[in-house]
Amino acid sequence: MDKETTPPDQKPLAPSSSGYTPLPPKDGAAVVGEGMSVSRVLFSVRRWWREDVVGTVVQSAVIEKRRAECALSERYLFMTAMSAGIAVLGLLLSSPAVVIGAMLLSPLMDPIMGLGFALAIGDYQWLKQSARSLAWGTVIAIALTAGLVYLSPIQTITPEIAARTQPNLFDLFVALFSALAGAYAMIRGREGTIVGVAIATALMPPLATVGFGLATWNWTVFSGALHLYVTNLITIALTALVMARMYGFKTALSSRNSLFQNIAVVVVFVALAIPLALSLQQIAWQANAQRIVRAEIEETFDTNTIIDELEIEFGGEPVTINAKVLTSSLRSDAETDIERALAGRLSQSVELSLTQLKVDTSASAAERAQLSEARANEEEAALERAEALATRLALVAGVTNDDVTIDRTRRRATVRAKQLVGATLASYRALEMRIAATEPGWTIELLPPIGDLPQEIAFDEEGPTPAGAQALAVVEWAAQRVDLPIMLVGNPVETTQAAEILARRGVSVTVEDGFGPLRAEWGGR
């Protein structure tokens, strides 16, 4: 029997109880299949998150540990004070390394994360505990940093301080990513010092800058740094809240909780969210204003013009703009035209300072001019840094800046120190090492006055003890700085071992038998 065929213009039929019914079109089947596939994928992802991620978190243990670390303890207050003190010294010295060192001590992460977790589970008592610890830590940090700055002879606004007086989008991202890392580490039980440093980076430097502004009565510095601190704090707390809820931390409020507690949690959440929203609005406006300023300058000149420098100060009224452009043709009316246009587009008064540098019309020539300008700026910055180094060396050596020798080509600084009351050779060596640590790539030499060498270099059966090794290091350093030979006096075995150690380090040594502990004296005097 011949097989039945379906005409080309007729849909295929499927058997049914009443005969044949048309089959759905192929493209419709594909759509249905895709929709079912997406649903299955989403279901699988939700099940994986619920069972393999959220299900592996012991929430009671996390909450118990977080609550304990939010307590207002002596350790928390002491470490906060020490971190703030080191941070403000790093800001005054404009030393990022010192500021980072302060972050290793800061415990501010715990109460801030506590705020987020307390909001996530609706624990009013925990919320009060975290807020109290954070408030006391903030007050102590500001008070200590303000006191140190007030007593310090250095009260100059350094680049490290200025960088923390105006919140921007990048500061917000630092706080956001730090909070994400911190909340994840705490929930998964992998918290540690590094996460604490990330959190503290967004908090302690602005807090120390608040103390600087208070001590110097500088409202711009004080308000700007406080704004940055509060913005970052709120960002971290709310991010911790969101992360906690994502990992299944739910409110534990029951019918026994009073209406006042429920209202208090909501009020705190709103109080945190509103300032953050306002800060985000201001940050977004400033970012858009920067794009408008750059676009207006570029539209005023030809296509080969390069904006070499652009600095915008939003803190005052009017908005202050300093710009430098490399262009093939100078325009005498450019500054006035750009200023008028920006005032209209920003709806604020604008004060523009525009510097025009004429270069060749080619892009390569403009780039060469830009590189030349950059090298000049680098040279100026290097000169300022060398002058600052000379001032610091003169201060520790008890001399004037003219007595300090700075060789910028070889990156070498030398100064001969005066005799300071109570200072030993070990003290001068420590001062030199302290300054050298803040000037990587430089050779620092603090030449001490001739003083007494260590009178006891301790040895045991295996050689010099740790204290003895430290004493030998002082002898080696003093011999290199004073350029005189060393004489070791004591037990023949110990003098021979010590002499071999110093000789390997390039020190000219003679030995002499004697009684008592091994000691060092100047030779050739």
Side-chain angles (χ1 to χ4, degrees):
M1 187 175 183
D2 296 337
K3 296 181 179 180
E4 296 182 1
T5 59
T6 303
D9 58 346
Q10 183 177 343
K11 295 180 181 180
L13 301 177
S16 67
S17 58
S18 59
Y20 288 88
T21 57
L23 292 173
K26 293 183 179 181
D27 55 348
V31 171
V32 173
E34 290 177 1
M36 295 178 63
S37 176
V38 172
S39 299
R40 284 196 296 268
V41 169
L42 292 177
F43 175 77
S44 299
V45 170
R46 285 195 296 267
R47 185 173 62 180
W48 166 79
W49 180 264
R50 185 174 59 254
E51 297 178 359
D52 298 339
V53 178
V54 176
T56 60
V57 176
V58 183
Q59 295 188 8
S60 59
V62 174
I63 292 174
E64 182 180 358
K65 186 174 183 180
R66 297 276 65 81
R67 192 194 305 273
E69 294 185 353
C70 290
L72 184 62
S73 62
E74 293 180 2
R75 176 191 173 277
Y76 168 77
L77 295 177
F78 178 77
M79 297 304 287
T80 299
M82 295 303 97
S83 175
I86 297 174
V88 76
L89 293 176
L91 294 175
L92 291 174
L93 295 173
S94 194
S95 173
V98 177
V99 175
I100 293 173
M103 302 307 100
L104 296 171
L105 305 177
S106 175
L108 287 175
M109 168 181 66
D110 295 326
I112 296 175
M113 286 295 180
L115 287 176
F117 279 87
L119 284 171
I121 67 173
D123 191 321
Y124 177 69
Q125 294 300 325
W126 188 7
L127 187 67
K128 286 200 305 181
Q129 178 187 10
S130 300
R132 182 170 59 252
S133 298
L134 181 60
W136 274 107
T138 300
V139 170
I140 287 178
I142 294 176
L144 178 63
T145 53
L148 289 175
V149 173
Y150 183 78
L151 298 175
S152 171
I154 303 174
Q155 296 185 352
T156 306
I157 298 178
T158 63
E160 287 290 323
I161 294 175
R164 290 166 175 93
T165 59
Q166 185 64 44
N168 57 51
L169 196 58
F170 298 106
D171 295 317
L172 189 66
F173 281 143
V174 169
L176 175 62
F177 293 137
S178 299
L180 289 172
Y184 172 81
M186 288 182 171
I187 293 172
R188 304 302 298 180
R190 296 178 175 86
E191 70 272 19
T193 299
I194 298 302
V195 176
V197 172
I199 298 291
T201 301
L203 295 170
M204 189 55 76
L207 200 55
T209 306
V210 171
F212 177 91
L214 180 62
T216 57
W217 292 102
N218 189 321
W219 172 251
T220 301
V221 172
F222 177 84
S223 60
L226 184 61
H227 185 197
L228 176 60
Y229 172 69
V230 173
T231 299
N232 288 349
L233 184 155
I234 293 171
T235 302
I236 293 170
L238 293 184
T239 302
L241 163 64
V242 173
M243 285 288 288
R245 296 305 296 267
M246 286 180 59
Y247 273 87
F249 289 78
K250 304 259 185 205
T251 178
L253 293 175
S254 65
S255 57
R256 292 179 298 175
N257 293 100
S258 67
L259 178 62
F260 173 75
Q261 291 178 328
N262 297 332
I263 295 175
V265 171
V266 174
V267 168
V268 171
F269 178 84
V270 174
L272 292 177
I274 291 177
L276 179 60
L278 296 176
S279 296
L280 287 174
Q281 183 181 10
Q282 179 67 14
I283 290 171
W285 183 87
Q286 291 180 2
N288 185 55
Q290 289 177 337
R291 289 193 293 268
I292 291 175
V293 170
R294 182 174 292 274
E296 192 65 39
I297 294 175
E298 290 175 346
E299 292 172 2
T300 302
F301 295 92
D302 56 51
T303 55
N304 290 332
T305 297
I306 296 177
I307 300 177
D308 187 49
E309 292 181 9
L310 181 60
E311 297 178 357
I312 307 176
E313 293 291 338
F314 293 101
E317 180 72 25
V319 175
T320 303
I321 303 172
N322 294 311
K324 181 185 295 184
V325 297
L326 307 178
T327 180
S328 59
S329 59
L330 303 180
R331 287 191 51 185
S332 59
D333 57 346
E335 183 172 305
T336 303
D337 292 346
I338 295 174
E339 191 174 274
R340 185 185 305 111
L342 289 177
R345 297 182 65 177
L346 299 178
S347 300
Q348 283 194 9
S349 57
V350 175
E351 182 177 325
L352 172 65
S353 175
L354 179 65
T355 301
Q356 304 178 54
L357 299 178
K358 187 174 182 179
V359 297
D360 293 342
T361 55
S362 64
S364 60
E367 292 174 357
R368 287 196 300 270
Q370 188 176 26
L371 291 174
S372 177
E373 180 71 16
R375 284 192 293 268
N377 291 337
E378 291 178 359
E379 180 69 16
E380 182 179 355
L383 180 59
E384 292 178 356
R385 189 172 184 84
E387 291 176 351
L389 174 59
T391 301
R392 293 166 58 202
L393 282 173
L395 182 63
V396 299
V399 298
T400 64
N401 285 27
D402 295 336
D403 295 321
V404 181
T405 302
I406 300 290
D407 186 346
R408 291 196 294 118
T409 303
R410 296 181 176 84
R411 298 177 68 82
R412 188 185 191 92
T414 307
V415 61
R416 185 171 296 280
K418 287 184 177 181
Q419 181 64 53
L420 303 177
V421 178
T424 63
L425 290 174
S427 302
Y428 289 109
R429 177 172 177 265
L431 288 172
E432 178 188 286
M433 293 175 63
R434 187 176 301 173
I435 294 181
T438 64
E439 300 294 338
W442 278 75
T443 300
I444 308 297
E445 291 186 350
L446 180 63
L447 308 180
I450 298 178
D452 293 334
L453 291 166
Q455 295 301 293
E456 182 175 354
I457 305 175
F459 271 72
D460 56 22
E461 295 178 356
E462 299 180 355
T465 65
Q470 184 69 17
L472 285 175
V474 173
V475 172
E476 174 196 353
W477 174 83
Q480 293 172 346
R481 297 295 181 267
V482 178
D483 196 20
L484 284 177
I486 300 296
M487 182 172 64
L488 298 175
V489 182
N491 180 286
V493 177
E494 294 179 354
T495 55
T496 301
Q497 293 184 31
E500 291 177 353
I501 294 173
L502 292 175
R504 287 196 299 266
R505 299 175 182 176
V507 179
S508 177
V509 186
T510 59
V511 297
E512 181 179 312
D513 294 343
F515 298 99
L518 176 63
R519 64 185 185 276
E521 297 179 356
W522 293 109
R525 295 178 60 186

